[in-house]
Structures are given as C-alpha cells and as structure tokens.
C-alpha cells in the first residue's frame, strides 16, 4: 500500500468516495471508473496515488479502523468503573451506528475478499483481533477471572450485534445488557 506520503486533497476525496461506495454497494461491485467519477479525479490520478483498487480498499479500511479505534478508546477512557470500561465498545457502537447502518464494513470485506493475502483482508481480520484483544485487556484490568474466554464471548456478541444492525431490531440494547451481565458474572464482587 502506498501510504508513506501524506494524503493529498485528491487522495482524501478518493478515499472518502471509495469508502462510501464500497460500504453502500459492495467492494467487488464498485469499479475504479465509478470511484474516479465520484471523487472528481481521473483514473490515472487514482492509480498514481493508490497503485491498485486492492490498495485503495485497504486504505479505506485502514482509515475506517483508525476512526473506530479512536471512538472505542475515547469510550473506554470516559469510564471510571473498570467493569463498565469492558463494555465501552458496545457504547461506542451506539455512536458509530448513528451513521453506519449497513452492518460492519470489516465483516463485509472479509466476506467479499476471502483471500488472506489480500491487503484489505488482513486489515479487516486485524480489526477483529484488535477488538478481541482489547476486550481481554479490559477484562484483565477489571479483575475478571477468565479474561480470554470472556473476551471471545464479548467479541461474538459484539459481532452479532453488528451483523443484525440492518434489521428492524434493537439488538444493541439487548447485547449491551448481556455484555454487562457477562462481565459482572466474571468480575470480582463489588465492595
């Protein structure tokens, strides 16, 4: 991926247009002609900046991941209670879901790009592993007895919530309550 130089205004427009198109229409359904048209650049500019559609997809997912991690970290940092910090990613998801209504771009990318050697596949997979590891780190800090097991359960619950976002259900509220119950059951009693 050609990300060494700072992003130019044209590069930012390309990424913004591509991210929106990939999220709303699907990665494989969107071609570089459409991205160039939506971003107001030529295909040559797009290829000069990103090298290939694969690298553009990876750049878009990396940018999305940066924004997601920043939101989650802010939610964690806002918690005074270590038990509530463990479920902070669920609170971040509520904020995130206000503008991301079509499920998870990372799950979608993993489904559309099954080749583990694809640069975007690695970013999407690492995003999921980052969240699982964060859950374990937070569960450990909260004194949970089985932080690794709890982290995996919370990840599954979180991902299920993301997968059901497009449905007319409020799975996020139920999932947040269930996550809190799982953490409290595994955390030491409050004094």
């Amino acid at each position: 991926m050609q990300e060494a130089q700072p992003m130019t205004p044209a590069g930012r427009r390309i990424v913004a247009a591509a991210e929106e198109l990939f999220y709303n229409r699907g990665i494989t359904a969107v071609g570089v002609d459409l991205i160039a048209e939506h971003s107001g650049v030529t295909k040559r500019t797009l290829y000069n900046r990103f090298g290939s559609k694969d690298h553009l997809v990876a750049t878009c997912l990396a940018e999305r991941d940066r924004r997601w991690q920043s939101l989650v970290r802010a939610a964690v940092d806002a918690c005074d209670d270590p038990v509530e910090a463990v479920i902070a990613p669920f609170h971040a998801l509520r904020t995130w879901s206000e503008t991301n209504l079509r499920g998870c771009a990372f799950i979608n990318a993993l489904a559309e790009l099954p080749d583990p050697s694809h640069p975007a596949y690695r970013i999407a997979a690492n995003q999921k592993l980052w969240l699982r590891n964060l859950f374990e780190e937070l569960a450990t800090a909260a004194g949970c007895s089985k932080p690794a097991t709890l982290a995996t359960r919370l990840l599954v619950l979180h991902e299920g919530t993301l997968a059901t976002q497009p449905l007319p259900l409020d799975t996020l509220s139920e999932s947040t309550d269930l996550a809190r119950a799982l953490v409290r059951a595994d955390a030491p009693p409050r004094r």
Side-chain angles (χ1 to χ4, degrees):
M1 187 166 26
Q2 298 175 333
E3 195 51 46
Q5 69 235 20
M7 189 78 74
T8 64
R12 286 192 296 275
R13 284 196 318 274
I14 293 166
V15 170
E19 186 177 341
E20 180 182 343
L21 290 166
F22 293 150
Y23 186 67
N24 290 316
R25 298 184 186 188
I27 294 167
T28 57
V30 173
V32 293
D33 289 323
L34 186 61
I35 297 165
E37 177 187 325
H38 278 252
S39 60
V41 302
T42 64
K43 281 189 349 183
R44 181 179 178 154
T45 299
L46 189 150
Y47 282 117
N48 283 342
R49 178 63 186 97
F50 297 98
S52 70
K53 179 182 170 184
D54 289 349
H55 288 142
L56 177 57
V57 173
T59 300
C60 290
L61 287 177
E63 175 59 21
R64 190 175 192 88
D65 185 36
R66 184 197 61 73
R67 291 191 315 268
W68 167 246
Q69 286 190 29
S70 177
L71 182 66
V72 171
R73 289 284 183 196
V76 169
D77 292 346
C79 292
D80 294 330
D81 177 4
V83 169
E84 283 301 308
V86 181
I87 64 164
F90 289 89
H91 297 302
L93 185 56
R94 180 161 308 283
T95 302
W96 186 262
S97 298
E98 292 170 1
T99 56
N100 297 277
L101 305 173
R102 296 182 50 83
C104 178
F106 301 100
I107 292 172
N108 298 345
L110 290 169
E112 285 195 68
L113 307 169
D115 181 359
S117 67
H118 192 289
Y121 179 97
R122 289 190 300 271
I123 291 169
N126 286 340
Q127 188 271 340
K128 299 305 173 192
L129 295 172
W130 173 83
L131 185 57
R132 190 243 167 253
N133 292 338
L134 178 65
F135 278 132
E136 184 173 2
E137 173 189 315
L138 296 169
T140 299
C144 294
S145 62
K146 297 179 182 173
T149 300
L150 179 61
T152 300
R153 290 176 179 167
L154 293 173
L155 178 67
V156 169
L157 186 58
H158 194 272
E159 297 308 296
T161 303
L162 281 165
T164 57
Q165 271 184 310
L167 302 175
L169 304 169
D170 183 12
T171 58
L172 182 53
S173 293
E174 292 297 324
S175 295
T176 303
D177 291 346
L178 181 54
R180 186 177 288 110
L182 288 170
V183 174
R184 286 189 176 150
D186 201 47
R190 292 182 180 198
R191 296 175 199 249

